[in-house]
Amino acid sequence: MTDVTESDTGWLSPEEMDAARQRLPILYVDAVPVRVDAQGTVTAVGLLLRMGEDGQVKRALVSGRVLYHERVRSALLRHLEKDLGPLALPRVPPAPQPFTIAEYFPTPGVTPFHDPRQHAVSLAYVVPVEGDCAPQQDALELTWFTPDEVRDPAVLAELAGGQGTLLLQALAHLGA
């Protein structure tokens, strides 16, 4: 596989990305996939299972970088398809509004969010999905939890980097 450069698709080479991470906050999107009933009530929350960089299997939200010259909506759709599959049918509005902004720091304890690689700013969204979801690429599994099940401290502890806090913020935002 060859390295993709910024001029190709907005990606930096691994070396360029490492250098950027040391100097700049990087923009991300986080998405909490949900199933809703006909009244718009959240009935299920989807969490991915991924292999972490440390070799541990962890639960995760859909998450990823926003590319240079990419709209946030396009980044959301790209990452949802990348992780949940092309038949997930996410309902992302034309002008999505985040429910919160999370700042991930390489130094633990600055905020509830931690990413040892970088300082990242993430726009966080709740996204209803209607179609068939199947984990893709580096996602090992997708599990649907009820709002009560996902609040279980054991489930929240499986989320890395403060994403459990982000998930609880999403549920509070929804009144779920």
Side-chain angles (χ1 to χ4, degrees):
M1 180 190 304
T2 61
D3 287 336
V4 178
T5 64
E6 181 180 355
S7 61
D8 295 325
T9 62
W11 289 109
L12 302 173
S13 71
E15 296 79 19
E16 291 169 324
M17 191 66 214
D18 288 343
R21 282 181 166 148
Q22 292 174 5
R23 293 175 179 85
L24 303 167
I26 306 295
L27 182 61
Y28 276 72
V29 290
D30 281 318
V32 180
V34 297
R35 298 275 193 201
V36 296
D37 64 16
Q39 291 75 39
T41 303
V42 174
T43 59
V45 177
L47 295 179
L48 298 168
L49 201 60
R50 293 187 193 277
M51 182 70 68
E53 290 185 10
D54 60 359
Q56 294 184 16
V57 176
K58 292 282 189 178
R59 297 244 178 241
L61 303 176
V62 172
S63 184
R65 287 192 302 269
V66 177
L67 298 178
Y68 178 75
H69 215 261
E70 180 179 42
R71 292 178 175 265
V72 168
R73 183 177 190 278
S74 297
L76 272 169
L77 289 169
R78 180 171 54 83
H79 288 293
L80 287 159
E81 181 176 323
K82 174 185 68 77
D83 287 342
L84 304 180
L87 301 177
L89 304 177
R91 291 191 335 220
V92 178
Q97 297 295 312
F99 69 86
T100 195
I101 298 170
E103 285 189 272
Y104 292 82
F105 283 89
T107 306
V110 176
T111 69
F113 310 105
H114 176 250
D115 185 337
R117 304 169 301 168
Q118 65 194 338
H119 176 191
V121 177
S122 181
L123 307 174
Y125 300 86
V126 174
V127 180
V129 293
E130 295 179 339
D132 294 326
C133 298
Q136 305 288 308
Q137 295 192 14
D138 66 343
L140 304 172
E141 177 182 297
L142 172 68
T143 305
W144 292 98
F145 296 89
T146 67
D148 287 336
E149 290 170 337
V150 84
R151 284 186 178 90
D152 184 298
V155 173
L156 293 171
E158 292 179 15
L159 289 151
Q163 285 190 338
T165 299
L166 198 59
L167 178 57
L168 289 176
Q169 290 176 354
L171 294 171
H173 173 76
L174 295 168

